[in-house]
C-alpha cells in the first residue's frame, strides 16, 4: 500500500482499535507524535512499533524535537539546548560551533531513532530577528549565512544517526511578529527582500541536499494573498523551479489559526495538496480526520511516493546501548557546553 498524503496525530500512549483502523486508510501516510503520546522510552518504542506494523511500507512516524522549548519527549531523553546557543557560540568560535551542531544533530536524531521514530521536523531555518513570538531562540542566528553553516553541520549529524532533515518554515517565519499557531500572520515585505534574506538559508540547504521542507503558515500579501503553504507561487514557482528543490514538501499543521485563510480543514488540505505539498499535517484536530478521509481524493501521486520513501529512518542503536557509542560522551559535552536556559515548554 502506498503512503498517503495525510500525517495525523493520535490520542494517547497506545493505539485504540479505531485508530488502528484509521491508520490503515490509503490516504494516511504518517503519524506525528506529541507529549501526550509519551510516558517513557519503552512505551514510545512500543507505540512506534505498533504504528510501523500496521502497513507495508511502514507509515512515517514524526515528531517536533528541536530542543529548548520544542522537545516533546523529556524524561529518559537528554534535554537539548535551543539551537540559538550554537549561534551565540558561532560568533566567538565558528569552527567549534559547527562541530557542536553536528554532535547535537546526531544526539537528537540518535535518541529518536533508538525508539524507532523516523524523523524530527528539524532544523529551523528561520532568521532570529528578535521580534517573533514563535521563533526566537528556535533559530540558529539572525544571519542567513550563519544559519546555513550551522544547519548544514546539524543535518550531517542527523544523517550520521540515520535521519533525514526537514528545514522549516519556508520561505521564512522569523520576521513576522505574531504566532501562526494562534492568528493569521502577515509579512508585508516585497519578494526581493524575502528572497535576499529569509530564503537564503533554504537555498543553501537545498544545495547541500536537504531532503524535506515545511512551509510557513504566513501570508506575504505583496507576493501572494494565500499563506505560503497554500500558494502555488511559493511552492511551485519559487521552491520547485527557482530553487530546484526535489525533496518532500510538508505543510505545517492544518489546524493552526494561521491556516484559517485557506478555509475549513478540508479546504485547507485540498489547497495545500493542490499548491504542491506532498504531505499535509493534522496534529490536534483529531475529530476532523474522518472528514478528510471521506473528502479527499485517494489517488496516490507516484512522484510524492518516491520523495516520501526517502524519509524513513535508517538503522538504529538500542536506547540502552546508545551510551556505549564512542560519540555519546562528546555529544553530552556539547549539551553541557551550550547550556539549557530555563524557558516555557511547548507541548
Amino acid at each position: 500500500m502506498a503512503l498517503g498524503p495525510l500525517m495525523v496525530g493520535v490520542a494517547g500512549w497506545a493505539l485504540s482499535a479505531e485508530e488502528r483502523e484509521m491508520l490503515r486508510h490509503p490516504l494516511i501516510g504518517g503519524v506525528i507524535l506529541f507529549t501526550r503520546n509519551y510516558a517513557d522510552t519503552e512505551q514510545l518504542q512500543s507505540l512506534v512499533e505498533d504504528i510501523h506494523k500496521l502497513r507495508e511500507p511502514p507509515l512515517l512516524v514524526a515528531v517536533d524535537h528541536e530542543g529548548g522549548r520544542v522537545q516533546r519527549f523529556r524524561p529518559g531523553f537528554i534535554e537539548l539546548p535551543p539551537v540559538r546557543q550554537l549561534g551565540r557560540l558561532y560568533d566567538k568560535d565558528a569552527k567549534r560551533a559547527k562541530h557542536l551542531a553536528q554532535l547535537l544533530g546526531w544526539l537528537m536524531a540518535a535518541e529518536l531513532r533508538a525508539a524507532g521514530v523516523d524523523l524530527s521536523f528539524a532544523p529551523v531555518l528561520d532568521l532570529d530577528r528578535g521580534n517573533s513570538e514563535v521563533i526566537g531562540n528556535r533559530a540558529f542566528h539572525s544571519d542567513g549565512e550563519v544559519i546555513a553553516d550551522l544547519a548544514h553541520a546539524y543535518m550531517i549529524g542527523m544523517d550520521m544517526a540515520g535521519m533525514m532533515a526537514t528545514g522549516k518554515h519556508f520561505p521564512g517565519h522569523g520576521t513576522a511578529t505574531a504566532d501562526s499557531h494562534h492568528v493569521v500572520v502577515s509579512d508585508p515585505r516585497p519578494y526581493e527582500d524575502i528572497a535576499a534574506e529569509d530564503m537564503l538559508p533554504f537555498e543553501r540547504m537545498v544545495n547541500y541536499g536537504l531532503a524535506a521542507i515545511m512551509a510557513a503558515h504566513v501570508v506575504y500579501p505583496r507576493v501572494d494573498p494565500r499563506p505560503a503553504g497554500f500558494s502555488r507561487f511559493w511552492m511551485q514557482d519559487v521552491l520547485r523551479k527557482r530553487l530546484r528543490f526535489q525533496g518532500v514538501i510538508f505543510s505545517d499543521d492544518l489546524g493552526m489559526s494561521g491556516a484559517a485563510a485557506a478555509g475549513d480543514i478540508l479546504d485547507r488540505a485540498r489547497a495545500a495538496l493542490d499548491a504542491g505539498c506532498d504531505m499535509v499535517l493534522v496534529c490536534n484536530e483529531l475529530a476532523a480526520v474522518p472528514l478528510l478521509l471521506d473528502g479527499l481524493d485517494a489517488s496516490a501521486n507516484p512522484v510524492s511516493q518516491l520523495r516520501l520513501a526517502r524519509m524513513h529512518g535508517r538503522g538504529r542503536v538500542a536506547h540502552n546501548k546508545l551510551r556505549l557509542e564512542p560519540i555519546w560522551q562528546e555529544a553530552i559535552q556539547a549539551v553541557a557546553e551550550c547550556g539549557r536556559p530555563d524557558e516555557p515548554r511547548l507541548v
Side-chain angles (χ1 to χ4, degrees), residues 293-310:
L293 297 181
D294 289 339
L296 289 178
D297 180 4
S299 59
N301 182 331
V303 178
S304 289
Q305 291 299 305
L306 292 174
R307 292 172 181 149
L308 290 166
R310 293 183 62 203

Side-chain angles (χ1 to χ4, degrees), residues 50-183:
D50 281 351
I51 294 169
H52 280 157
K53 288 176 182 177
L54 290 171
R55 299 264 292 270
E56 186 58 42
L59 295 169
L60 293 170
V61 178
V63 66
D64 288 308
H65 201 83
E66 306 162 12
R69 285 175 291 151
V70 184
Q71 179 170 334
R72 308 304 188 190
F73 311 143
R74 300 264 178 182
F77 278 77
I78 300 299
E79 290 200 29
L80 301 168
V83 297
R84 191 62 177 90
Q85 300 291 86
L86 292 166
R88 293 188 179 96
L89 179 59
Y90 188 101
D91 292 335
K92 302 174 184 177
D93 186 341
K95 183 177 180 180
R96 180 63 179 166
K98 287 191 287 185
H99 181 61
L100 296 187
Q102 182 173 318
L103 290 169
L104 291 180
W106 174 86
L107 178 60
M108 180 276 292
E111 287 204 291
L112 292 175
R113 288 297 306 130
V117 175
D118 292 296
L119 68 143
S120 173
F121 289 121
V124 170
L125 301 181
D126 302 307
L127 306 184
D128 176 15
R129 298 288 200 183
N131 65 336
S132 173
E133 295 176 8
V134 69
I135 301 302
N137 65 4
R138 296 170 63 194
F140 287 100
H141 206 274
S142 58
D143 185 316
E145 294 283 6
V146 175
I147 292 171
D149 221 11
L150 289 169
H152 185 205
Y154 195 90
M155 180 175 73
I156 290 170
M158 291 177 66
D159 185 67
M160 289 166 54
M163 181 180 289
M164 306 302 279
T166 301
K168 60 188 186 185
H169 307 81
F170 182 83
H173 199 320
T175 299
T177 301
D179 183 347
S180 55
H181 289 86
H182 306 301
V183 297

Side-chain angles (χ1 to χ4, degrees), residues 30 136 199 275:
M199 278 171 48

Side-chain angles (χ1 to χ4, degrees), residues 37 47 86 207 238:
N37 305 119
L47 174 60
L86 292 166
N207 291 333
V238 178

Side-chain angles (χ1 to χ4, degrees), residues 305-324:
Q305 291 299 305
L306 292 174
R307 292 172 181 149
L308 290 166
R310 293 183 62 203
M311 302 306 294
H312 284 110
R314 310 178 314 279
R316 55 192 284 192
V317 176
H319 203 273
N320 61 358
K321 295 183 179 178
L322 265 183
R323 286 163 173 75
L324 302 178

